[in-house]
């Protein structure tokens, strides 16, 4: 397959140019399963592994290849050795589960992110959840599209209400309402799937991300799961992250539903989910206003006047605080890990000279 059809662009070409003739070939990661990766290169699909040097150059999990990544690999035949991950145009990542601050990339080089929720009521759609997803997507650099699935389970008059609630948060983000089951509205989602571009699905477990992939492909490539009757939550059916090719030349990545959403990054990522607050912030007296108790704060003034909803202000402030904490932890952890690795290398060098002499 031609590299452009896989999403290759000038951004990656510029990184590859100095390495042409080195025997390395570009390939795109289409799936990851532990240490083994499925990739697609110009010559076709292949299996790949990371080379030993990743142990030394990788500072954390995020430095390893993820689904959607462009890598440079060496080797012939069916097994390629990945030597390098090219810089990502965008990424969708989470703070790895387990309480740490390590970043895990769930999908790389995603152009459009379908932030998916379900219209069957219950706990699948909440304003606060949507805000969090939008901030995480914005932080990673992909453009969000809000997808409300299972409209077959939602009476027509209630749909307008959902649309209003979405618009009150992110009026300028495109919104699609559809049903993976009946196919209603699928075509308006297809309009966001462009040849050579990569889309990905994210959203809570059980909202129908995999069902939508199946509906778009017209065949059952992904398992779909049951939703628990007691709380209408999904069961985390999808655990693998995989890239699929649509007939029109677009690509899409299924990702598992996330249990916890902990946005990181800087406050600029909050803009997409809080446009009215971002707009007001531009009129605060101090450019670095924290909107907490500063004099001349336009945000606080609009909140007190009721022009900015109080729950929106609170959600904004607590997300901003959380993001600062995660970011600080990550920086500190990165510093500690680099130091430990340098010590380790120094020890190896010393050992080498002890055995081999100066
Ligand atoms: N009624 C109705 N049910 C749907 C629709 N889309 C999906 N479902 C059902 O919802 C359940 C969950 O769908 P999945 O596609 O597995 O959900 P998911 O978002 O991929 O979940 P995870 O992989 O766990 O993150 C399945 O039983 C689907 O059949 C829809 O549009 N309407
Ligand atoms: Mg799934
Ligand atoms: Zn302010």
């Amino acid at each position: 397959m031609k590299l452009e059809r896989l999403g290759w662009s000038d951004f990656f070409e510029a990184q590859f140019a100095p390495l042409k003739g080195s025997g390395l070939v570009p390939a795109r990661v289409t799936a990851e399963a532990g240490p083994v990766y499925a990739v697609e290169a110009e010559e076709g699909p292949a299996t790949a592994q990371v080379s030993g040097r990743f142990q030394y150059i990788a500072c954390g999990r995020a430095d390893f290849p993820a689904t959607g990544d462009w890598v440079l690999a060496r080797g012939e035949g069916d097994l390629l050795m990945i030597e390098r991950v090219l810089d990502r145009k965008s990424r969708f990542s989470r703070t790895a589960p387990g309480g740490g601050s390590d970043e895990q990339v769930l999908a790389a080089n995603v152009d459009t992110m379908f932030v998916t929720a379900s219209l069957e009521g219950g706990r699948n759609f909440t304003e606060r959840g949507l805000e969090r997803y939008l901030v995480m997507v914005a932080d990673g650099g992909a453009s969000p599209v809000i997808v409300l699935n299972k409209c077959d389970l939602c009476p027509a008059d209630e749909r307008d209400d959902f649309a209003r609630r979405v618009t009150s948060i992110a009026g300028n983000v495109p919104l699609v309402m559809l049903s993976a089951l009946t196919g209603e509205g699928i075509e308006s989602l297809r309009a966001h799937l462009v040849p050579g571009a990569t889309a990905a699905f994210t959203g809570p477990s059980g909202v129908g991300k995999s069902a939508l992939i199946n509906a778009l492909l017209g065949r059952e490539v992904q398992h779909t799961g049951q939703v628990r009757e007691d709380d209408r939550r999904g069961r985390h059916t999808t655990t693998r992250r995989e890239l699929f090719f649509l007939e029109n030349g677009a690509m899409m990545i299924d990702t598992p539903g996330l249990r916890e959403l902990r946005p990181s990054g800087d406050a600029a990522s909050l803009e997409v989910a809080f446009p009215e607050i971002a707009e007001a912030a531009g009129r605060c007296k101090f450019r670095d206003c924290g909107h907490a108790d500063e004099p001349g704060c336009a945000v606080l003034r609009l909140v007190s006047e009721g022009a900015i909803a109080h729950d929106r202000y609170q959600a904004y402030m607590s997300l901003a605080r959380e993001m600062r904490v995660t970011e600080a932890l990550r920086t500190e952890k990165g510093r500690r890990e680099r130091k430990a690795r340098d010590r380790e290398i120094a020890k190896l060098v010393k050992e080498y000279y002890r055995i081999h002499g100066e």
Side-chain angles (χ1 to χ4, degrees):
M1 206 182 311
K2 269 270 192 274
L3 292 181
E4 284 71 24
R5 295 197 52 193
L6 291 164
W8 185 258
S9 65
D10 291 347
F11 178 79
F12 302 110
E13 182 65 33
Q15 301 178 59
F16 179 46
L19 293 161
K20 272 192 178 152
S22 63
L24 292 170
V25 293
R28 189 147 194 215
V29 176
T30 56
E32 34 170 330
V36 181
Y37 297 88
V39 300
E40 189 81 33
E42 203 147 32
E43 288 72 40
T47 306
Q49 280 179 342
V50 293
S51 79
R53 76 188 261 282
F54 268 84
Q55 234 177 298
Y56 299 104
I57 58 169
C59 288
R61 210 162 158 178
D63 293 332
F64 282 86
T67 300
D69 259 327
W70 278 101
V71 298
L72 298 180
R74 180 185 312 282
E76 8 4 282
D78 283 349
L79 187 68
L80 298 178
M81 209 47 93
I82 298 173
E83 294 288 350
R84 219 178 127 160
V85 179
L86 295 184
D87 288 349
R88 295 164 177 138
K89 213 166 56 175
S90 71
R91 65 171 79 193
F92 183 68
S93 48
R94 69 167 162 195
T95 302
S101 62
D102 209 8
E103 179 188 3
Q104 180 189 12
V105 178
L106 297 170
N109 302 314
V110 173
D111 301 292
T112 305
M113 184 58 91
F114 296 136
V115 175
T116 315
S118 136
L119 287 181
E120 67 183 316
R123 340 170 57 143
N124 277 326
F125 177 90
T126 65
E127 277 85 345
R128 303 290 89 88
L130 186 57
E131 286 162 356
R132 273 174 187 266
Y133 272 105
L134 287 174
V135 170
M136 285 172 70
V137 171
D139 184 51
S143 314
V145 170
I146 297 166
V147 175
L148 297 181
N149 187 31
K150 307 198 189 183
C151 70
D152 56 290
L153 297 175
C154 180
D157 52 329
E158 284 173 31
R159 290 185 201 180
D160 293 344
D161 185 47
F162 275 110
R164 256 194 308 277
R165 286 166 65 189
V166 169
T167 314
S168 74
I169 291 173
N172 29 22
V173 177
L175 165 67
V176 177
M177 282 197 198
L178 44 49
S179 165
L181 187 73
T182 65
E184 184 188 345
I186 285 276
E187 290 317 309
S188 36
L189 185 62
R190 227 182 264 284
H192 293 283
L193 290 156
V194 185
T198 307
F201 286 87
T202 185
S205 177
V207 297
K209 301 180 292 296
S210 299
L212 284 167
I213 295 231
N214 290 342
L216 287 162
L217 288 171
R219 52 181 208 277
E220 303 283 306
V221 290
Q222 287 293 76
H223 281 300
T224 57
Q226 290 303 308
V227 170
R228 293 194 296 239
E229 264 317 306
D230 46 348
D231 60 3
R232 294 227 163 262
R233 282 190 170 184
R235 294 168 185 272
H236 296 277
T237 307
T238 304
T239 50
R240 244 162 80 92
R241 297 175 288 280
E242 196 170 344
L243 184 140
F244 299 96
F245 296 91
L246 268 172
E247 231 160 59
N248 80 342
M251 290 154 279
M252 41 187 196
I253 300 175
D254 195 2
T255 73
L258 302 178
R259 284 191 176 82
E260 49 176 341
L261 298 169
R262 300 195 351 221
S264 60
D266 61 277
S269 315
L270 289 165
E271 199 170 323
V272 68
F274 299 92
E276 80 279 34
I277 294 179
E279 210 236 323
R283 280 177 276 127
C284 293
K285 184 170 167 198
F286 300 111
R287 269 188 59 196
D288 60 349
C289 185
H291 323 305
D293 50 14
E294 289 86 345
C297 174
V299 174
L300 284 173
R301 195 185 66 238
L302 290 175
V303 172
S304 71
E305 288 168 1
I308 290 176
H310 198 256
D311 55 349
R312 289 276 287 166
Y313 169 73
Q314 276 181 326
Y316 176 94
M317 292 300 278
S318 67
L319 273 173
R321 195 173 321 117
E322 253 180 74
M323 285 162 79
R324 276 197 303 274
V325 171
T326 312
E327 217 38 43
L329 281 174
R330 208 170 262 171
T331 314
E332 168 58 18
K333 182 161 186 284
R335 197 186 59 76
R336 271 203 318 270
E337 278 173 0
R338 273 190 298 278
K339 242 170 112 176
R341 204 189 37 196
D342 289 349
R343 265 201 307 274
E344 193 64 29
I345 291 174
K347 225 163 71 191
L348 285 172
V349 170
K350 215 164 127 191
E351 185 72 3
Y352 176 89
Y353 284 126
R354 195 179 61 76
I355 295 167
H356 298 275
E358 294 278 339

